[in-house]
């Protein structure tokens, strides 16, 4: 039977696959639209397998906070180019997967891939990703995610630089109103900009403390300082370390005359930061250019 341009266009809109591939799929299936979709999905799987060998070092960080505020998720998904990362298809995929993490609480990446997709319940998450690979023509890799949930806590998030940096934070407060949420968002911005390692100095592990002290002591002794003032200098350097590594002791990015804790006390007294996660897109990944060298 003759395949009409209208049918080809309809299949293209359903799948995002090129016109000639759509025409061949319809010819192969005698014009059966649903069967043609299945044929293209099968071909998409083969295409995805070939593309999976290519480096995926671009992409997006996506964040999601549930309507009740008690659950939040942060997710990194990678593709090959910034061009694809900016498409509505890829951004929609990232947002959908982040919502899936928050709502379905997968234990790990492998579990998430095997879950029924919230966005497309007829398929598993891994199949939805494969379909996007076929449509967008690039390797797509789900890299990592984190989920926070607490009946007595609330989540806050911040995405910076078009999805290049993302922060998820869990907080507690006597009352959660819009002012408190705004302060929590400011704290997420602080984490994105200043990259603290801990919430407070009380969270710094003994191993990190000993390592820092050992480094500072070696530096001071190498400078030939008198032995009787070495400990005092090391103590001063440790205070500087806390100011850089601990969120609550950092200079507040919107008013560097005060520390973060003083801002919290003034703007949202009783607000407590429980934990946070900061993702930077592509941390530790090699780019295609590096792989080619």
């Amino acid at each position: 039977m003759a395949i009409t341009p209208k049918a080809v266009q309809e299949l293209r809109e359903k799948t995002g696959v090129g016109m000639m591939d759509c025409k061949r799929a319809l010819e192969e299936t005698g014009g059966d639209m649903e069967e043609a979709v299945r044929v293209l999905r099968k071909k998409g799987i083969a295409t995805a397998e070939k593309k999976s060998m290519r480096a995926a070092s671009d992409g997006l960080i996506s964040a999601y906070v549930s309507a009740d505020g008690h659950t939040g998720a942060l997710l990194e998904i990678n593709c090959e180019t910034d061009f694809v990362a900016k498409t509505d298809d890829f951004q929609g995929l990232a947002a959908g997967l982040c919502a899936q993490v928050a709502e379905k609480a997968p234990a790990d990446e492998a579990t998430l891939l095997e879950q029924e997709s919230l966005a497309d319940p007829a398929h598993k998450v891994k199949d939805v990703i494969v379909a996007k690979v076929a449509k967008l023509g690039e390797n797509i890799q789900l890299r990592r995610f984190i989920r926070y949930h607490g009946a007595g806590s609330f989540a806050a998030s911040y995405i910076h630089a078009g999805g290049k940096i993302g922060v998820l934070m869990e907080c507690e407060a006597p009352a959660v109103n819009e002012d408190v949420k705004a302060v929590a968002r400011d704290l997420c911005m602080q984490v994105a900009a200043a990259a603290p390692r801990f919430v407070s100095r009380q969270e710094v592990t003994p191993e990190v403390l000993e390592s820092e002290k050992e480094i500072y002591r070696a530096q001071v002794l190498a400078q030939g300082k008198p032995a009787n003032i070495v400990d005092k200098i090391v103590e001063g350097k440790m205070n500087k370390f806390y100011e850089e590594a601990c969120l609550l002791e950092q200079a507040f990015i919107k008013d560097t005359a005060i520390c973060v804790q003083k801002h919290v006390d003034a703007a949202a007294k009783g607000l407590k930061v429980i934990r946070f996660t900061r993702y930077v897109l592509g941390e530790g990944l090699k780019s295609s250019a590096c792989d080619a060298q």
Side-chain angles (χ1 to χ4, degrees):
M1 63 175 291
I3 304 301
T4 66
K6 182 178 179 182
V8 174
Q9 182 61 34
E10 182 182 347
L11 182 57
R12 175 174 169 75
E13 290 173 356
K14 280 178 174 287
T15 64
V17 176
M19 297 288 280
M20 290 306 298
D21 285 329
C22 288
K23 185 172 186 294
R24 281 191 285 267
L26 286 166
E27 289 172 343
E28 183 179 332
T29 60
D32 186 319
M33 186 66 65
E34 293 307 313
E35 185 60 29
V37 170
R38 283 192 285 274
V39 166
L40 288 173
R41 286 183 67 86
K42 290 176 182 177
K43 291 182 177 179
I45 291 171
T47 301
E49 287 173 348
K50 290 179 183 178
K51 288 181 170 60
S52 68
M53 299 302 293
R54 303 209 305 242
S57 54
D58 214 297
L60 282 176
I61 308 294
S62 184
Y64 175 91
V65 175
S66 62
D68 64 11
H70 293 306
T71 307
L74 189 69
L75 174 143
E76 178 179 355
I77 185 168
N78 301 122
C79 58
E80 296 177 49
T81 65
D82 185 54
F83 175 80
V84 163
K86 289 179 178 177
T87 63
D88 290 342
D89 274 309
F90 189 80
Q91 293 188 2
L93 175 65
L97 291 177
C98 203
Q100 175 109 15
V101 168
E103 299 297 330
K104 294 298 184 179
D108 50 35
E109 287 78 5
T111 305
L112 172 59
L113 291 172
E114 292 296 331
Q115 285 183 338
E116 177 185 287
S117 169
L118 283 177
D120 185 2
H123 299 97
K124 292 183 178 182
V125 167
K126 64 180 181 181
D127 296 324
V128 172
I129 294 175
V130 162
K132 290 299 181 186
V133 170
K135 181 174 183 179
L136 296 173
E138 288 194 4
N139 182 17
I140 295 174
Q141 295 289 332
L142 171 65
R143 187 181 182 205
R144 54 181 172 170
F145 63 79
I146 188 76
R147 178 181 184 270
Y148 291 161
H149 172 78
S153 62
F154 70 96
S157 67
Y158 175 69
I159 299 295
H160 182 67
K164 305 299 184 186
I165 301 174
V167 175
L168 180 69
M169 183 176 289
E170 184 178 13
C171 302
E172 291 177 345
V176 182
N177 53 38
E178 291 307 312
D179 290 339
V180 169
K181 290 179 182 179
V183 172
R185 179 176 168 78
D186 280 347
L187 297 185
C188 288
M189 291 175 64
Q190 176 84 28
V191 172
R197 296 166 59 187
F198 309 96
V199 174
S200 66
R201 67 170 63 193
Q202 286 72 33
E203 288 190 357
V204 181
T205 64
E207 293 78 12
V208 171
L209 279 177
E210 287 308 309
S211 174
E212 293 298 318
K213 287 179 180 179
E214 183 179 338
I215 291 169
Y216 295 146
R217 181 175 293 277
Q219 290 174 350
V220 174
L221 290 173
Q223 293 169 0
K225 300 293 185 182
N228 64 327
I229 65 168
V230 168
D231 288 344
K232 188 173 182 63
I233 296 174
V234 169
E235 183 182 348
K237 286 181 175 289
M238 286 304 300
N239 285 331
K240 182 66 175 177
F241 166 78
Y242 292 134
E243 290 173 5
E244 293 175 353
C246 301
L247 171 63
L248 298 179
E249 298 194 31
Q250 288 182 333
F252 181 45
I253 56 173
K254 290 188 173 182
D255 181 1
T256 55
I258 62 172
C259 68
V260 170
Q261 183 65 70
K262 287 188 176 180
H263 169 67
V264 172
D265 291 342
K269 192 168 182 62
L271 174 64
K272 178 183 177 182
V273 178
I274 300 172
R275 54 183 173 168
F276 63 79
T277 295
R278 180 180 185 267
Y279 283 169
V280 176
L281 182 66
E283 277 178 318
L285 293 177
K286 291 183 179 180
S287 67
S288 297
C290 291
D291 290 341
Q293 293 176 356

